[in-house]
Amino acid sequence: MSQFSVRCVVYRGGTSRGIFFHEKDLPTNNELKHRIFLEGIDAYNPSQVNGLGSGTSHTSKIMVISEPTVEGADLDYTFYQIGIGESVVDDKGTCGNLMAAIGAFAVDEGLVSTSLNDDFVSVSAFNKNINKMIKMRVPLSNGKAKVSGDYLMPGIVTPGSKIMVNILSPGGGKTGKTIPIGLKTTIATSKRSYEASFIDIVNPFVYVAASEFGIAGSELNHVVGADHELLSELEEIRLKMAVAGGIAKNEDEAKNIPSIPKIALVASPHDYVTSAGKHIKANDIDIVAKMVSMKKFHRTFAGSGLYSLAATALLEGTVPNQYARKKDGSVEQMIRIGHPEGIAEVRVALTEEQADVASVGLDRTARRIIKGDLYIPEK
């Protein structure tokens, strides 16, 4: 079988990994472009052994970087979530972890000006998925994105150089409103009714209390992917909330948009043990959560979810706010989220009236893994 090649770069950003393309290197024909994405990741096989994915939602990702179209931006970019065992190319949501890698990519590919003597550079990127500006402070070493450092983030076992990521006015990227259908609503499945919050911050998310399913906070992060009954119920809630929140006209349409809204279970702070055996104390966290992505429990917690949950926890009247540790009412806060692999600290700034979110920020690490030609089988 003959093959053709496309230039690409593979980056890890936060706890995600993806294939990065310059838009100019891709065909303009969407069908061929999407086939490159599907073949490159190997969406067709659950193991993704025939491509660069690895059978998880956080490694089945594509980034396409293009010329800036918005004043103040150094570049535009579009994120694509690729299916696992199914031919899905979904650009409706975005990825919070790979945002850090966008900053590193901009530096490494010469999309921003740097000097050999600079310690940092600011990168402004316009995310076309959610129409939001992303600001990054990228550390440098000899004019390139610095990789080594002493910042150890949860989910990565080796420390790296800290990239500061901030998203300005993060609400309403997909629905037009941070709170599209009220702070809390009741949703009925074929089994029973639940109280849930549908919030559109970075990515639209649905939040339900773990206690609704009889899950204690100390047990939440040990819920396993084999719990098909729970996953099925969460998916039904997600589909119904997608319709209620205006993401889809009906549940059949919602099934074709698997990346959003995402759904997460939340609980009040509890002592618990991470997947690596580390003991987390209740006093060190403000809320505990576990999320589902692409119909599977996420190994850690999506970056977009960390932004969303931290901000939602400060919006009084939401489900996460009900279970989060009460804060002092300051406009700017640091929210500590306990997830399966540790604690993530997220910066949140509310608007002056504290009814909406002014910005969210997260510290991540990133590194370039490989650059070269990606081979795609001819059809």
Side-chain angles (χ1 to χ4, degrees):
M1 179 185 294
S2 59
Q3 301 189 98
F4 65 93
S5 64
V6 184
R7 299 291 291 172
C8 74
V9 190
V10 175
Y11 273 86
R12 177 193 60 80
T15 54
S16 290
R17 189 182 71 232
I19 307 175
F20 285 56
F21 297 97
H22 284 283
E23 185 179 55
K24 62 185 180 183
D25 292 332
L26 292 168
T28 56
N29 179 280
N30 273 338
E31 183 179 355
L32 179 55
K33 181 166 64 177
H34 288 182
R35 195 165 72 80
I36 289 170
F37 299 164
L38 292 166
E39 294 278 5
I41 291 291
D42 186 26
Y44 312 109
N45 291 307
S47 68
Q48 298 181 335
V49 69
N50 205 31
L52 294 177
S54 60
T56 67
S57 64
H58 49 279
T59 56
S60 305
K61 300 185 174 188
I62 299 287
M63 287 286 197
V64 176
I65 292 80
S66 53
E67 293 291 327
T69 60
V70 175
E71 184 177 357
D74 298 305
L75 57 101
D76 289 1
Y77 76 92
T78 304
F79 165 74
Y80 297 86
Q81 182 71 59
I82 307 303
I84 305 168
E86 54 184 348
S87 301
V88 171
V89 178
D90 190 343
D91 65 353
K92 299 299 187 293
T94 193
C95 176
N97 273 295
L98 282 185
M99 287 175 182
I102 285 288
F105 179 93
V107 173
D108 294 336
E109 294 293 299
L111 303 181
V112 292
S113 298
T114 62
S115 166
L116 294 178
N117 298 321
D118 290 341
D119 293 326
F120 298 92
V121 67
S122 294
V123 178
S124 297
F126 184 72
N127 185 333
K128 296 172 73 173
N129 304 87
I130 58 174
N131 296 318
K132 300 294 180 182
M133 189 72 82
I134 317 299
K135 300 280 190 178
M136 289 153 284
R137 185 173 184 260
V138 183
L140 301 175
S141 177
N142 296 319
K144 292 295 183 182
K146 186 179 179 182
V147 175
S148 60
D150 57 7
Y151 177 64
L152 182 61
M153 55 166 286
I156 302 295
V157 299
T158 53
S161 196
K162 182 192 295 184
I163 297 175
M164 296 179 66
V165 181
N166 288 289
I167 307 174
L168 310 182
S169 302
K174 301 307 296 185
T175 65
K177 296 180 179 179
T178 300
I179 308 165
I181 56 172
L183 294 163
K184 191 162 54 177
T185 190
T186 301
I187 196 79
T189 68
S190 55
K191 290 186 175 181
R192 50 160 293 193
S193 295
Y194 301 88
E195 281 196 331
S197 290
F198 179 102
I199 306 295
D200 183 5
I201 298 173
V202 183
N203 269 338
F205 258 81
V206 176
Y207 297 104
V208 187
S211 59
E212 295 258 30
F213 301 90
I215 302 170
S218 58
E219 302 169 346
L220 177 55
N221 285 313
H222 296 287
V223 175
V224 297
D227 194 335
H228 299 300
E229 184 177 349
L230 175 58
L231 283 170
S232 177
E233 187 72 349
L234 290 172
E235 177 64 5
E236 187 175 351
I237 295 170
R238 191 192 76 83
L239 294 175
K240 291 182 181 298
M241 290 296 278
V243 177
I247 298 293
K249 295 178 182 177
N250 52 56
E251 290 183 39
D252 286 337
E253 184 178 321
K255 290 177 183 177
N256 293 320
I257 312 172
S259 66
I260 59 169
K262 298 184 186 298
I263 187 165
L265 297 172
V266 298
S268 56
H270 280 73
D271 292 358
Y272 73 95
V273 180
T274 69
S275 54
K278 180 180 178 180
H279 290 264
I280 303 295
K281 296 294 185 182
N283 287 338
D284 294 331
I285 51 180
D286 298 312
I287 193 168
V288 179
K290 186 162 186 171
M291 65 166 285
V292 176
S293 179
M294 302 296 281
K295 303 179 184 178
K296 295 182 179 180
F297 284 113
H298 201 286
R299 181 176 60 85
T300 55
F301 209 90
S304 62
L306 294 174
Y307 291 124
S308 176
L309 176 56
T312 304
L314 290 184
L315 295 175
E316 191 169 350
T318 64
V319 170
N321 177 261
Q322 180 181 344
Y323 288 87
R325 187 185 306 280
K326 300 309 175 189
K327 308 299 270 187
D328 61 12
S330 301
V331 171
E332 294 187 15
Q333 301 275 0
M334 183 70 79
I335 304 299
R336 304 164 300 171
I337 298 172
H339 62 76
E341 292 203 349
I343 303 171
E345 296 184 341
V346 186
R347 297 181 296 276
V348 182
L350 297 180
T351 55
E352 287 296 329
E353 68 279 8
Q354 299 196 17
D356 206 339
V357 184
S359 68
V360 287
L362 195 61
D363 297 334
R364 305 277 86 179
T365 63
R367 80 176 188 97
R368 179 163 55 176
I369 296 172
I370 192 169
K371 180 177 183 178
D373 294 325
L374 177 66
Y375 284 87
I376 306 296
E378 296 281 3
K379 194 169 183 180

